[in-house]
Amino acid sequence: MHFHPYLTFGGTCADAFAFYQEIFGGPLEVMTMAEAPGGSPDGAEPDAVMHASLTTDGGALLMGADHPTGDFTGPVHGMCVTAELPTKEEAHRVFDELSEGGTVQMPMAETFFSHAFGMCLDRFGTPWMVMAGTMPGS
């Protein structure tokens, strides 16, 4: 079994996923509401994203969409997307890029469970935990 984050946005999904693609690489597929079979659902902006999927160079899958009615109040509290990178250098790079224009909640640092760990909200309001593998024995 796999769990895959599905993020919701209030009209910025296309920009957010282009940003994530710059950071993580991999192919990005985006379908707008207007491209949906049967056209835009009632009340939906035609240019809003109905579905986006990014398969990263490392094989992870991140998906998302704009809220169909635009009635979006922000990410769910108590949830973060976790990105586990193979090296602390890569974790620092990803964290720095994700947090640019956003808010650092916990700066990158070595912890008892990871060589590098940090938390941030990106400029689209998505909460992230970024880490570099796990420490031996954790």
Side-chain angles (χ1 to χ4, degrees), residues 12-82:
T12 60
C13 184
D15 292 338
F17 270 74
F19 176 63
Y20 302 149
Q21 184 184 36
E22 288 176 21
I23 295 170
F24 297 109
L28 172 62
E29 296 180 28
V30 177
M31 175 188 283
T32 65
M33 298 288 182
E35 295 169 329
S40 295
D42 287 342
E45 289 291 324
D47 291 337
V49 173
M50 174 169 258
H51 178 73
S53 65
L54 174 66
T55 305
T56 70
D57 289 339
L61 177 62
L62 183 65
M63 298 180 288
D66 286 315
H67 193 281
T69 66
D71 189 24
F72 178 72
T73 59
V76 176
H77 296 288
M79 173 296 286
C80 291
V81 179
T82 302

Side-chain angles (χ1 to χ4, degrees), residues 36-137:
S40 295
D42 287 342
E45 289 291 324
D47 291 337
V49 173
M50 174 169 258
H51 178 73
S53 65
L54 174 66
T55 305
T56 70
D57 289 339
L61 177 62
L62 183 65
M63 298 180 288
D66 286 315
H67 193 281
T69 66
D71 189 24
F72 178 72
T73 59
V76 176
H77 296 288
M79 173 296 286
C80 291
V81 179
T82 302
E84 185 175 340
L85 290 302
T87 67
K88 69 180 184 179
E89 293 78 18
E90 184 70 357
H92 278 272
R93 179 194 67 80
V94 166
F95 183 82
D96 290 346
E97 291 181 29
L98 283 171
S99 62
E100 186 177 325
T103 305
V104 173
Q105 297 170 307
M106 180 178 173
M108 290 294 281
E110 186 170 306
T111 67
F112 68 92
F113 59 86
S114 175
H115 295 286
F117 176 83
M119 297 174 66
C120 68
L121 291 175
D122 69 25
R123 64 183 181 220
F124 300 99
T126 301
W128 290 87
M129 292 190 304
V130 179
M131 63 189 299
T134 56
M135 299 286 271

